[in-house]
Amino acid sequence: MDAREKEIEKLKDYKYGFSTDIENTRAPKGLNEEVIKFISNIKKEPRWMLDWRLKAFERLKQLKEPNWQKPKYPKIDYQDLYYYSAPKSMDDKPKSLDELDPKLLETYKKLGIPLQEQARLNGIAVDAVFDSVSVATTFKGELNKKGIIFCSMSEAIQKHPELVKKYLGSVIPLSDHYFATLNSAVFTDGSFVYIPEGVRCPMELSTYFRINATETGQFERTLIIADKGSYVSYLEGCTAPMRDENQLHAANVELIALDDAEIKYSTVQNWYPGDKNGKGGIYNFVTKRGLCKGKNSKISWTQVETGSAITWKYPSCILKGDNSVGEFYSIAITNNHQKADTGTKMIHLGKNTKSKIISKGISAGFADNTYRGLVDISKNADNARNFTQCDSLLMGNKCGAHTVPYIKNKNSSSNIEHEATTSKISDEQLFYCNQRGLNQEEAVSLIVNGFCKEVLQQLPMEFAVEAQKLVGISLEGSVG
Amino acid sequence: MLEIKDLKAKIDNKEILKGLNLEIKPGEVHAIMGPNGSGKSTLSNVLSGKKGYTVSGDVRYLNENLLNLEIEERAHKGIFLAFQYPLEIPGVNTNIFLKTSLNAIKKARGEKELDAIEFLKLVKKKASELKFDEKILSRQLNVGFSGGEKKKNEILQMSILNPKLSILDETDSGLDIDALKIVSEGVNALRSKESSFLIITHYQRLLEYIKPDFVHVLINGQIVKSGGSELALELESKGYESLS
Ligand SMILES: Nc1ncnc2c1ncn2[C@@H]1O[C@H](COP(=O)(O)OP(=O)(O)OP(=O)(O)O)[C@@H](O)[C@H]1O
Ligand SMILES: [Mg+2]
């Protein structure tokens, strides 16, 4: 095979692995006050925002990186990273898509996310984040007519400071833990959503995160506020080029649902997982937390985690409002040398609060997959209910699956149910499928999709098909 | 259609098939009877290509060396095995399984795949022919199916896939009297000059409904006696004792 053929073979495995050759503006390397000022300055942020960042940075100095998680990783040299990298053409923010660098348009087209007016995905508004900046947001005008704000975080800080000031850090406090605090100090871009009282968002909102630059961390920050009686369904997707280096993605996502509001947040995570031998890949260390602030509010997390060298995240719900509902639906697939330690925390504070956890872990190759979850029922949470189901599916003998449920119950009127299963795809099942004409990969994909069905059903229609395919592709080469 | 010469199969160092010979011509129905553990299911597994056996001998299927083909290739070329113990696959909708299977075979043959509507029409027709409650098809594949429902589901798949060589491994076991009739009618409806059947059974009764051209007795990994359908009656009265 010549070099080109090799490259094509590699791309077959991970078709989003290309990189875009583009000139960048970067912050100086390293983590210090100057770099934080650089980021704040280039984003033309108001003083209060910079102060907030600096406060986080002060706090960070006193925090230690946690290491209780199952997947261990080599020490990260935080001084050897770039904390801001953006296409030079974004220095003066283009006013419209016509002014956007064609290379960026091309990149998103290749990723299957066309941004141009005529080619846009039907009924899905997209915020496209490239390294440290949002390069475009579609359908903004149409959404605006309903009073919905959908823009980049940077734009929100300038145009909607009162909302940002009120809610940023209200769910994930500035000094929550190491990575969350790091994010608070150096976050770059992400999406901001505000749905006004009584409005049902007429389309899916989504953000597509793309890492492109080398030696750069991505520190996205997303904030979604659903005002009283409103509804929004939001989806994020992400990919990165194939590289031998490990790259850090440390995001903070905060959701706030007021009285009778509902937020449905879906993730299809397909960061570069590293090669077959475990070289390269993204460290996906993410803090996601939703606050059901009002009564009868609901927050539902759905995640399909197929990428990243290491996935370490616990999308959680704080059920503060009476009768509020939290849900967590998860598929975590690890193949080759990938590792995942993921789950959720359901914190029941209000009365009659309900939570549901459905986790499907699939492990193949030499991979390791841990479900870790906390159900916490506080003293005042009368009649709280939780249902947890954790299923693991193993393929082969060299991978691992672990279930670590924590339960803290301080109220005797609560009802907590936990079910867990571990199974293997049996040779007999594969034989049966093969006998019906399916090859090994088709058979595995069918069986695994069946195993994950309950979670896949939660995804918006438009993404369910893609996700199903992804589930099959991620496990290619894992049997036989 | 199928020509088996001196077929031997070992698993975990235990020899199960010990030099088996059998020829099936297009359009013929062959029945195999034999005591428990004599190697009947092993024969159907080996013919379908199941892994794990050390196989020797010569098996030609449609003028091709069958033993060189993968399991799914054999399926694409028209071999169908109705399992003695059909597998459960949780979460997989029976209809979707059937459609995936049919289209995988059609695709491999270069035929046009069926879309959802064409497929449902076909299933409806076949299910009603077999008096098979369609509602069952929207359930997870074989999960919670009764023994008889599982067997009927195998026959439904067979009639949809329309194979050239169907191997039925004790499909009659577990069927009630009415179901036995219906399943037999299903098999008879598929009989043609081009399609052949290898029917494994313990009971002569099935062979009253599906008239075989030949009956073979398999004992200890070998065919020890062959004859016409009258052989089945003889076995029923005398048992295998006299033959072994
Ligand atoms: N993996 C294995 N290891 C050892 N022995 C095996 C294995 N698989 C099958 N056998 C043995 O091979 C013999 C033949 O089994 P097979 O299932 O083919 O019998 P059968 O004729 O279909 O019986 P039945 O009428 O009960 O269905 C049995 O004695 C069985 O225990
Ligand atoms: Mg048997």
Side-chain angles (χ1 to χ4, degrees):
Chain A
M1 269 198 285
D2 64 17
R4 194 188 131 80
E5 278 171 325
K6 267 194 199 138
E7 202 50 40
I8 289 171
E9 275 308 304
K10 267 169 86 187
L11 278 175
K12 267 194 207 156
D13 291 344
Y14 181 74
K15 68 175 181 172
Y16 308 105
F18 65 91
S19 62
T20 309
D21 186 14
I22 208 160
E23 215 186 328
N24 292 315
T25 300
R26 284 180 156 177
K29 212 176 204 177
L31 179 60
N32 52 52
E33 245 185 73
E34 288 320 303
V35 166
I36 292 168
K37 282 180 180 157
F38 176 98
I39 293 171
S40 191
N41 187 43
I42 202 161
K43 292 187 172 297
K44 305 187 177 71
E45 287 178 355
R47 181 72 211 189
W48 59 265
M49 196 68 253
L50 175 62
D51 290 342
W52 199 80
R53 289 173 179 279
L54 292 173
K55 206 166 128 196
F57 185 55
E58 276 314 304
R59 186 73 189 105
L60 184 70
K61 290 177 188 162
Q62 291 141 38
L63 289 175
K64 274 220 171 67
E65 219 170 310
N67 79 339
W68 45 261
Q69 84 290 3
K70 189 128 196 317
K72 303 297 180 210
Y73 51 92
K75 223 173 157 34
I76 298 171
D77 183 353
Y78 292 93
Q79 296 306 337
D80 197 33
L81 284 181
Y82 291 103
Y83 288 81
Y84 181 91
S85 176
K88 228 186 182 72
S89 59
M90 296 302 295
D91 281 0
D92 292 303
K93 200 168 167 50
K95 301 261 172 321
S96 72
L97 278 173
D98 303 334
E99 292 175 30
L100 196 65
D101 186 336
K103 274 190 184 162
L104 289 171
L105 288 175
E106 184 56 32
T107 300
Y108 282 92
K109 204 173 137 200
K110 245 166 121 174
L111 295 170
I113 319 284
L115 299 172
Q116 289 97 325
E117 196 91 38
Q118 61 281 18
R120 281 174 188 175
L121 302 170
N122 248 341
I124 306 165
V126 182
D127 183 23
V129 176
F130 191 89
D131 289 330
S132 307
V133 283
S134 160
V135 296
T137 310
T138 63
F139 291 110
K140 256 163 108 172
E142 247 173 279
L143 291 165
N144 234 317
K145 282 180 206 147
K146 295 207 160 221
I148 295 168
I149 305 170
F150 179 46
C151 64
S152 72
M153 196 66 204
S154 308
E155 186 179 326
I157 290 167
Q158 291 175 16
K159 293 194 182 151
H160 310 283
E162 54 318 314
L163 283 170
V164 175
K165 262 192 205 165
K166 184 165 172 194
Y167 289 109
L168 190 74
S170 71
V171 191
I172 304 172
L174 201 126
S175 56
D176 198 75
H177 66 88
Y178 189 86
F179 291 104
T181 306
L182 173 65
N183 176 289
S184 296
V186 300
F187 75 85
T188 44
D189 232 335
S191 302
F192 176 85
V193 176
Y194 173 77
I195 315 287
E197 195 169 331
V199 171
R200 198 182 161 87
C201 186
M203 57 178 91
E204 299 285 337
L205 303 185
S206 74
T207 307
Y208 195 92
F209 293 97
R210 175 73 178 166
I211 292 180
N212 187 61
T214 58
E215 299 172 80
T216 303
Q218 193 177 51
F219 302 92
E220 104 200 41
R221 184 110 200 174
T222 288
L223 178 58
I224 299 177
I225 303 144
D227 212 326
K228 289 178 186 164
S230 68
Y231 169 86
V232 62
S233 169
Y234 173 94
L235 185 126
E236 62 166 349
C238 42
T239 56
M242 290 188 283
R243 297 223 170 88
D244 287 347
E245 57 166 353
N246 292 109
Q247 281 185 281
L248 177 64
H249 170 82
N252 280 10
V253 173
E254 292 175 284
L255 313 182
I256 295 117
L258 301 183
D259 290 355
D260 306 297
E262 179 177 348
I263 302 174
K264 191 173 157 58
Y265 190 107
S266 314
T267 302
V268 177
Q269 186 264 106
N270 189 22
W271 293 119
Y272 177 52
D275 70 7
K276 289 204 162 52
N277 303 313
K279 195 162 194 203
I282 301 291
Y283 291 158
N284 188 35
F285 301 166
V286 169
T287 308
K288 289 184 164 157
R289 208 172 292 164
L291 174 62
C292 282
K293 196 170 183 185
K295 63 175 166 45
N296 310 320
S297 57
K298 178 174 174 183
I299 289 179
S300 179
W301 298 99
T302 303
Q303 60 173 22
V304 179
E305 305 282 325
T306 62
S308 297
I310 301 177
T311 295
W312 187 11
K313 60 183 282 209
Y314 313 94
S316 302
C317 297
I318 301 167
L319 304 171
K320 191 170 175 216
D322 289 348
N323 313 319
S324 59
V325 178
E327 291 176 341
F328 175 73
Y329 296 94
S330 170
I331 298 170
I333 298 180
T334 48
N335 195 2
N336 298 318
H337 290 267
Q338 281 178 278
K339 295 181 171 62
D341 191 324
T342 184
T344 184
K345 289 188 267 185
M346 292 292 174
I347 316 286
H348 292 254
L349 302 176
K351 294 185 184 22
N352 307 315
T353 46
K354 272 197 294 195
S355 62
K356 183 170 170 187
I357 299 170
I358 307 284
S359 160
K360 305 277 178 180
I362 299 146
S363 211
F366 298 89
D368 205 57
N369 207 321
T370 301
Y371 167 82
R372 192 186 301 275
L374 167 69
V375 175
D376 185 341
I377 315 256
S378 74
K379 217 168 64 231
N380 300 321
D382 293 343
N383 303 316
R385 293 220 310 266
N386 163 263
F387 175 77
T388 300
Q389 182 170 341
C390 296
D391 298 322
S392 306
L393 187 68
L394 293 168
M395 300 171 68
N397 307 317
K398 301 194 176 67
C399 52
H402 319 272
T403 302
V404 194
Y406 304 92
I407 296 171
K408 286 191 205 164
N409 189 357
K410 299 188 205 80
N411 188 309
S412 61
S413 67
S414 65
N415 184 340
I416 302 171
E417 280 177 79
H418 181 91
E419 288 173 15
T421 66
T422 301
S423 52
K424 267 185 99 154
I425 296 187
S426 74
D427 291 343
E428 294 287 331
Q429 284 175 326
L430 288 172
F431 173 50
Y432 191 65
C433 294
N434 294 152
Q435 210 299 306
R436 296 297 188 260
L438 308 186
N439 65 31
Q440 207 70 328
E441 250 132 38
E442 290 164 335
V444 168
S445 172
L446 186 82
I447 295 172
V448 171
N449 270 299
F451 174 75
C452 308
K453 195 160 115 191
E454 268 173 285
V455 176
L456 288 169
Q457 278 170 344
Q458 297 298 321
L459 288 175
M461 268 280 274
E462 297 85 337
F463 299 99
V465 179
E466 272 308 303
Q468 264 186 35
K469 275 195 219 143
L470 194 57
V471 165
I473 290 167
S474 317
L475 286 165
E476 252 169 39
S478 57
V479 199
Chain B
M1 165 100 42
L2 183 73
E3 216 175 319
I4 306 174
K5 279 193 191 134
D6 197 26
L7 179 64
K8 293 182 181 158
K10 262 202 299 204
I11 192 160
D12 299 336
N13 270 323
K14 183 178 158 52
E15 189 157 55
I16 301 172
L17 298 181
K18 302 172 180 172
L20 187 145
N21 296 290
L22 180 67
E23 191 186 346
I24 300 179
K25 295 208 171 79
E28 291 179 350
V29 175
H30 290 239
I32 290 192
M33 302 180 81
N36 295 129
S38 56
K40 301 180 300 295
S41 293
T42 304
L43 175 64
S44 31
N45 288 341
V46 167
L47 291 178
S48 332
K50 191 176 180 191
K51 304 267 157 56
Y53 298 97
T54 315
V55 180
S56 71
D58 187 36
V59 182
R60 303 201 67 78
Y61 169 70
L62 298 174
N63 297 321
E64 209 176 342
N65 181 354
L66 182 71
L67 299 177
N68 282 345
L69 299 178
E70 289 294 329
I71 309 165
E72 66 271 19
E73 289 174 319
R74 300 181 196 202
H76 299 160
K77 289 178 193 287
I79 290 185
F80 179 89
L81 169 61
F83 281 60
Q84 182 175 1
Y85 304 108
L87 276 294
E88 301 188 357
I89 306 188
V92 175
N93 175 290
T94 306
N95 263 323
I96 289 182
F97 178 76
L98 261 168
K99 178 165 170 257
T100 311
S101 160
L102 179 64
N103 280 339
I105 292 173
K106 283 193 172 291
K107 193 172 156 198
R109 291 182 184 162
E111 295 169 14
K112 193 178 152 288
E113 297 174 41
L114 296 193
D115 65 28
I117 295 166
E118 292 166 328
F119 173 76
L120 284 176
K121 228 171 101 183
L122 177 67
V123 166
K124 229 185 164 79
K125 183 165 156 269
K126 297 289 181 186
S128 88
E129 280 172 14
L130 291 169
K131 304 215 170 35
F132 195 62
D133 187 358
E134 256 181 276
K135 272 191 225 114
I136 286 185
L137 300 175
S138 51
R139 283 169 41 189
Q140 306 174 44
L141 183 61
N142 289 328
V143 177
F145 285 25
S146 75
E149 285 166 348
K150 284 183 183 170
K151 295 298 180 69
K152 273 195 180 181
N153 189 22
E154 295 289 287
I155 296 305
L156 175 70
Q157 294 180 46
M158 181 181 81
S159 68
I160 285 173
L161 299 179
N162 198 10
K164 290 201 177 73
L165 174 64
S166 305
I167 306 166
L168 275 59
D169 192 355
E170 292 195 31
T171 301
D172 53 332
S173 305
L175 288 182
D176 66 41
I177 305 162
D178 294 341
L180 186 66
K181 251 194 205 153
I182 294 163
V183 162
S184 303
E185 281 163 18
V187 171
N188 287 329
L190 280 183
R191 285 178 81 157
S192 74
K193 283 206 286 292
E194 289 86 43
S195 59
S196 310
F197 292 84
L198 183 61
I199 295 176
I200 295 168
T201 181
H202 284 299
Y203 306 106
Q204 189 270 335
R205 202 180 50 219
L206 175 71
L207 305 178
E208 282 175 10
Y209 295 114
I210 309 170
K211 274 262 167 281
D213 299 300
F214 298 93
V215 175
H216 310 276
V217 184
L218 179 65
I219 295 180
N220 196 16
Q222 282 181 321
I223 289 182
V224 298
K225 191 167 185 182
S226 299
S229 56
E230 72 289 344
L231 181 54
L233 278 169
E234 190 187 320
L235 288 170
E236 187 112 315
S237 62
K238 292 194 190 150
Y240 296 113
E241 206 71 356
S242 59
L243 291 168
S244 46

